[in-house]
Amino acid sequence: MQPHHKKHPHLERLLGNAHSVVLDGASRVLILSDLHMGNGGRRDEFRRNADLVKNMLADFYYPGQYSLVLNGDIEELFKFSLHSITEEWNAFYDLFLQFERNGFFYKTYGNHDAALLEDRDYRLAPYMIEALKFFYGKETILLFHGHQASVLLWETYPLVSRSVVFFLRYIAKPAGIRNFSIAYNSRRRFAIEKSIYDFSNNAKIVSVIGHTHRPLFESLSKVDYLNYRIEELCRAYPAAKTEERISIREKIDSLKEELDSCYKQGKKIGLRSGLYNTLTIPSVFNSGCAIGKRGITALEIEGNIIRLVYWFNGKQSRKFSSDRDNRPLELGNSGYYRIVLNEDHLDYVFSRIHLLA
């Protein structure tokens, strides 16, 4: 028996039992997680970006022939009843289901919406699975929410999770006790990511998760990536021509500003490194969440390309720099913008995994 069978039994079970889909050169897939849809009131974190999500799904991804995967914690059942959620956001369920016409639509469950497994009347019940397995040629991309890697029972098992739902909704909420979500705990967040990273490397697969609310691309957090790109540009500087040096300086200055902003936010974004070994292996991707204060992040797979994108309201969001020189593109005249934060070829990603893991 291989080591990862012993160390990560829950994740190994997911890999063996996941529903399978074959990707080809024409495949287009959008991966969203952690919408945390509530009842539309002031405690509903989804309310802030609801219009943005509706516009990007209806006017960009659906007409763009994307299939859709909602990767867990779509409803916030720790705080709200399903009836109040579906009553407020009923139009979104119609929108989600339309994506099946483009190829497929699936919803994995997270710890905040696992209770829906027993609700036969739930509109998305026929599409609910615990994990989804993409076959890209001979390679495997495993999509699951991520709570299965937690050592805490309430984050791993639906039965225990329901007890937590009862406590939060009927005891903690009336008493004003704050929700103890993994997304607000940097140490636990890092531990879950590291566990999934170790498992993915041993299995030589790519894992795509949500749960921690922290976008990851090729196992790198935003802070890691900014540091990596600054170092890469510094190495390129000595051999560059005069005009190229000017451009490199400008890029480095922009990246430094972005990095300084990250450090000013500190624990709010989790500055703990995503570099779990001395050599980073690109085996873990995280779509982030849809409840960010300035916008939302998502993952796209288009043919042989995987990319991390950022959607934001141009009137509210600060300028986001990208060393890839990708300009934010407005969605029609909506005032909402999309920018590609990072992208890479899946062939390159898997080559690094096989060579380095």
Side-chain angles (χ1 to χ4, degrees):
M1 185 176 290
Q2 297 181 17
H4 66 279
H5 287 97
K6 297 179 180 179
K7 192 173 181 181
H8 306 284
H10 299 309
L11 303 184
E12 187 62 36
R13 175 182 56 81
L14 291 182
L15 180 59
N17 298 336
H19 182 81
S20 299
V21 171
V22 176
L23 300 181
D24 57 33
S27 296
R28 288 186 169 188
V29 185
L30 168 67
I31 303 166
L32 277 175
S33 67
D34 297 273
L35 273 62
H36 291 276
M37 296 162 65
N39 65 359
R42 62 181 182 84
R43 298 180 72 249
D44 182 353
E45 295 178 286
F46 177 66
R47 184 179 65 170
R48 179 191 301 115
N49 293 325
D51 191 63
L52 168 56
V53 174
K54 181 183 70 175
N55 276 267
M56 69 181 222
L57 288 178
D59 299 332
F60 184 86
Y61 289 110
Y62 180 70
Q65 295 299 303
Y66 279 80
S67 295
L68 175 63
V69 179
L70 300 176
N71 201 14
D73 282 2
I74 304 308
E75 291 90 357
E76 179 48 84
L77 296 180
F78 278 15
K79 300 178 183 177
F80 309 101
S81 68
L82 178 61
H83 174 74
S84 67
I85 296 171
T86 55
E87 190 174 54
E88 176 65 25
W89 304 115
N90 183 60
F92 275 86
Y93 292 89
D94 295 330
L95 186 54
F96 295 153
L97 291 170
Q98 287 183 27
F99 280 84
E100 189 178 19
R101 303 172 189 169
N102 288 348
F104 56 83
F105 164 67
Y106 292 105
K107 179 196 171 186
T108 69
Y109 63 84
N111 51 312
H112 286 245
D113 55 6
L116 295 174
L117 286 170
E118 298 179 353
D119 192 334
R120 295 180 181 179
D121 296 326
Y122 174 52
R123 287 192 65 186
L124 305 185
Y127 306 91
M128 277 192 71
I129 53 178
E130 186 175 13
L132 182 63
K133 183 164 48 180
F134 286 155
F135 288 123
Y136 173 76
K138 296 182 180 180
E139 309 295 353
T140 299
I141 304 172
L142 182 65
L143 284 76
F144 59 103
H145 184 61
H147 64 290
Q148 296 91 339
S150 174
V151 298
L152 301 176
L153 290 176
W154 71 271
E155 287 183 333
T156 306
Y157 297 102
L159 181 62
V160 183
S161 183
R162 285 194 290 273
S163 301
V164 177
V165 171
F166 179 84
F167 170 76
L168 287 175
R169 188 182 297 170
Y170 300 109
I171 300 177
K173 180 181 175 182
I177 300 174
R178 186 181 180 184
N179 185 357
F180 49 98
S181 171
I182 179 65
Y184 301 105
N185 189 309
S186 179
R187 181 177 57 81
R188 279 166 45 208
R189 173 168 49 188
F190 180 79
I192 285 178
E193 291 169 357
K194 186 178 188 306
S195 180
I196 296 171
Y197 179 76
D198 292 340
F199 162 76
S200 304
N201 292 340
N202 285 328
K204 295 189 182 299
I205 66 170
V206 163
S207 290
V208 175
I209 62 172
H211 190 51
T212 68
H213 294 195
R214 183 167 80 148
L216 295 176
F217 191 87
E218 297 181 341
S219 306
L220 295 174
S221 68
K222 182 178 178 180
V223 171
D224 292 325
Y225 177 72
L226 291 172
N227 278 308
Y228 170 78
R229 284 297 295 140
I230 289 172
E231 180 180 352
E232 191 176 48
L233 289 168
C234 287
R235 289 183 181 276
Y237 185 80
K241 296 180 181 179
T242 303
E243 314 84 60
E244 293 174 325
R245 287 190 171 192
I246 294 174
S247 176
I248 289 174
R249 281 180 176 273
E250 291 175 350
K251 288 182 179 179
I252 290 176
D253 287 342
S254 179
L255 291 169
K256 284 170 61 182
E257 288 181 11
E258 197 68 31
L259 190 61
D260 288 342
S261 175
C262 289
Y263 280 108
K264 287 178 181 178
Q265 294 180 68
K267 293 182 179 179
K268 291 182 180 179
I269 61 170
L271 287 183
R272 188 187 291 264
S273 176
L275 298 172
Y276 310 118
N277 290 328
T278 54
L279 189 62
T280 304
I281 300 170
S283 60
V284 180
F285 292 73
N286 191 319
S287 54
C289 69
I291 57 174
K293 290 184 178 180
R294 297 187 176 92
I296 74 172
T297 52
L299 287 169
E300 300 172 358
I301 296 176
E302 184 175 1
N304 64 350
I305 299 293
I306 185 169
R307 62 175 68 97
L308 176 67
V309 298
Y310 175 58
W311 286 87
F312 62 95
N313 185 330
K315 297 179 181 179
Q316 297 176 355
S317 178
R318 59 182 169 78
K319 180 181 177 182
F320 194 99
S321 61
S322 172
D323 68 286
R324 291 182 173 274
D325 296 325
N326 290 335
R327 297 173 182 267
L329 298 178
E330 186 175 6
L331 179 59
N333 296 315
S334 65
Y336 297 127
Y337 293 80
R338 170 182 171 273
I339 186 170
V340 176
L341 300 183
N342 209 340
E343 67 177 24
D344 224 328
H345 288 264
L346 284 169
D347 296 321
Y348 168 78
V349 170
F350 281 108
S351 293
R352 283 183 59 88
I353 291 173
H354 287 291
L355 289 171
L356 302 177

